[in-house]
Amino acid sequence: MMGPGIPWYLAISAMLFSIGVAGVLLRRSPLIVLLSLELMLNAANLAFVGFSRLFGEMDGQVFALSVMAVAAAEVCVGLGLIVAMARRNLALDVDAFTELRG
Amino acid sequence: MGNVVVWVIWLVAAAACLFTGVRVVIATSPFSSALSLIGNLASLATLYLLASGEFIAAAQILVYAGAVMVMFLFVIAYLGGRADAPWAGGTKLIQAASVVTASALMAVTLVAVMLDAGGRLSDESDVDRAFGSPAEMGRLFLTDHLLAFEITSIVLLVAAVGGVVLGMRSQAEALADAEEAAQP
């Protein structure tokens, strides 16, 4: 294979996933939390594509495509929730929602 | 020679990927976060191309950077100033703990990858030109992975219905609006 080997892809994937984790833990805006979730999903996709190339099997790419579809579904519902929150004049702050806290 | 070009393209794409990823998290305006994510998706598509995932790269640009991100930008524009939520919550200790947790996760994964980098992870299989092509993806989706394909369509349908239900006005809201309108 020309260029970098699979460990390089996995390293980028690990770094991107950690950036996404930091975003979910740090930021309070549900929009940015959703964007950080996308980062984590894409990091997983990169690992899938890398492993797919490593083993020479395309199943990993098929799975990555399914992950993309599920991510689109998740964005649809997540953005619907955010818009519903905004219409009820609730603060767009994930720390403000404590009703379900046990 | 071709090797050097591939390395340079790969390194530029990887650097852009990490830079835009950090920008998504640290940008203060949600607009720049979303735009950075588009850059992130585009650089990831470049990495997919270099790992012989042609169809995945095209789908990434069309579906993700195209459709999904446009939806994000529409919602951010719809929310306007309300989208600018507080940057970070919790005490300084909680924030520091979050960063430490994420860094520890990264360190563990990187060490695990590096320990295997010279061994199992380095002997890649040889693939032919059909690997990652749309024709091959389509064949797999309609033969080996038909069930996953059908379930994906149901998931998307349910998500679309869920989006409509979430966007509907509740009866209580409609009543309150009607009462407001009835008053002089």
Side-chain angles (χ1 to χ4, degrees), chain A residues 1 3-4 6 9 18 27-29 38 42 45 53-56 58-59 61 65 68-69 71 86-87 90 92, chain B residues 3 10 25 27 41 48 52 56 60 64 79 82 85 87 89 106 124-125 132 136-137 141 145 152 159 167-168:
Chain A
M1 182 168 158
I6 300 305
Y9 286 89
S18 310
R27 301 299 301 262
R28 297 275 68 90
S29 157
E38 297 296 311
N42 275 294
N45 265 357
R53 179 68 186 74
L54 174 69
F55 295 118
M58 277 182 57
D59 300 348
Q61 295 194 6
L65 211 61
M68 256 181 227
R87 279 218 325 238
L90 300 171
L92 287 180
Chain B
N3 232 337
W10 193 92
V25 173
L41 298 172
Y48 293 165
S52 5
I56 291 282
Q60 172 96 347
Y64 240 127
L79 294 177
R82 301 203 47 197
W87 197 88
M106 175 163 73
E124 288 143 23
S125 352
E136 193 64 14
M137 287 296 276
F141 261 125
H145 299 285
T152 302
M168 262 185 339

Side-chain angles (χ1 to χ4, degrees), chain B:
Chain B
M1 183 59 209
N3 232 337
V4 176
V5 176
V6 173
W7 264 98
V8 168
I9 295 176
W10 193 92
L11 286 176
V12 169
C17 176
L18 293 180
F19 174 74
T20 49
V22 171
R23 281 268 303 155
V24 169
V25 173
I26 65 170
T28 40
S29 125
F31 254 120
S32 29
S33 274
L35 290 176
S36 302
L37 190 61
I38 294 183
N40 187 270
L41 298 172
S43 53
L44 273 173
T46 315
L47 293 184
Y48 293 165
L49 267 183
L50 294 178
S52 5
E54 286 92 5
F55 184 71
I56 291 282
Q60 172 96 347
I61 296 289
L62 285 176
V63 177
Y64 240 127
V68 172
M69 290 317 293
V70 166
M71 206 151 78
F72 256 109
L73 289 174
F74 262 123
V75 168
I76 293 172
Y78 169 74
L79 294 177
R82 301 203 47 197
D84 301 326
W87 197 88
T91 58
K92 282 267 181 285
L93 184 69
I94 294 178
Q95 294 179 31
S98 311
V99 174
V100 169
T101 309
S103 318
L105 187 67
M106 175 163 73
V108 168
T109 335
L110 282 182
V111 167
V113 168
M114 270 193 290
L115 284 182
D116 246 356
R120 278 175 301 168
L121 289 180
S122 62
D123 49 340
E124 288 143 23
S125 352
D126 295 321
V127 294
D128 54 2
R129 293 180 67 91
F131 187 82
S133 68
E136 193 64 14
M137 287 296 276
R139 194 189 63 74
L140 278 177
F141 261 125
L142 294 180
T143 54
D144 294 1
H145 299 285
L146 185 61
L147 182 66
F149 187 59
E150 297 296 340
I151 289 178
T152 302
S153 64
I154 295 176
V155 168
L156 284 173
L157 175 68
V158 170
V161 173
V164 171
V165 171
L166 281 172
M168 262 185 339
R169 294 152 54 77
S170 68
Q171 267 185 331
E173 260 185 309
L175 269 178
D177 279 3
E179 273 171 24
E180 211 171 287
Q183 271 158 21

Side-chain angles (χ1 to χ4, degrees), chain A residues 22-100:
Chain A
V24 170
L25 291 176
L26 276 177
R27 301 299 301 262
R28 297 275 68 90
S29 157
L31 269 169
I32 309 292
V33 169
L34 213 54
L35 287 170
S36 303
L37 274 175
E38 297 296 311
L39 279 185
M40 288 157 75
L41 284 167
N42 275 294
N45 265 357
L46 183 62
F48 271 128
V49 172
F51 278 122
S52 163
R53 179 68 186 74
L54 174 69
F55 295 118
E57 298 279 344
M58 277 182 57
D59 300 348
Q61 295 194 6
V62 169
F63 206 106
L65 211 61
S66 310
V67 169
M68 256 181 227
V70 172
E74 169 237 318
V75 166
C76 173
V77 175
L79 288 179
L81 278 174
I82 292 174
V83 170
M85 272 152 63
R87 279 218 325 238
R88 282 170 179 67
N89 286 320
L90 300 171
L92 287 180
D93 180 349
V94 288
D95 271 0
F97 296 99
T98 54
E99 272 168 46
L100 289 181

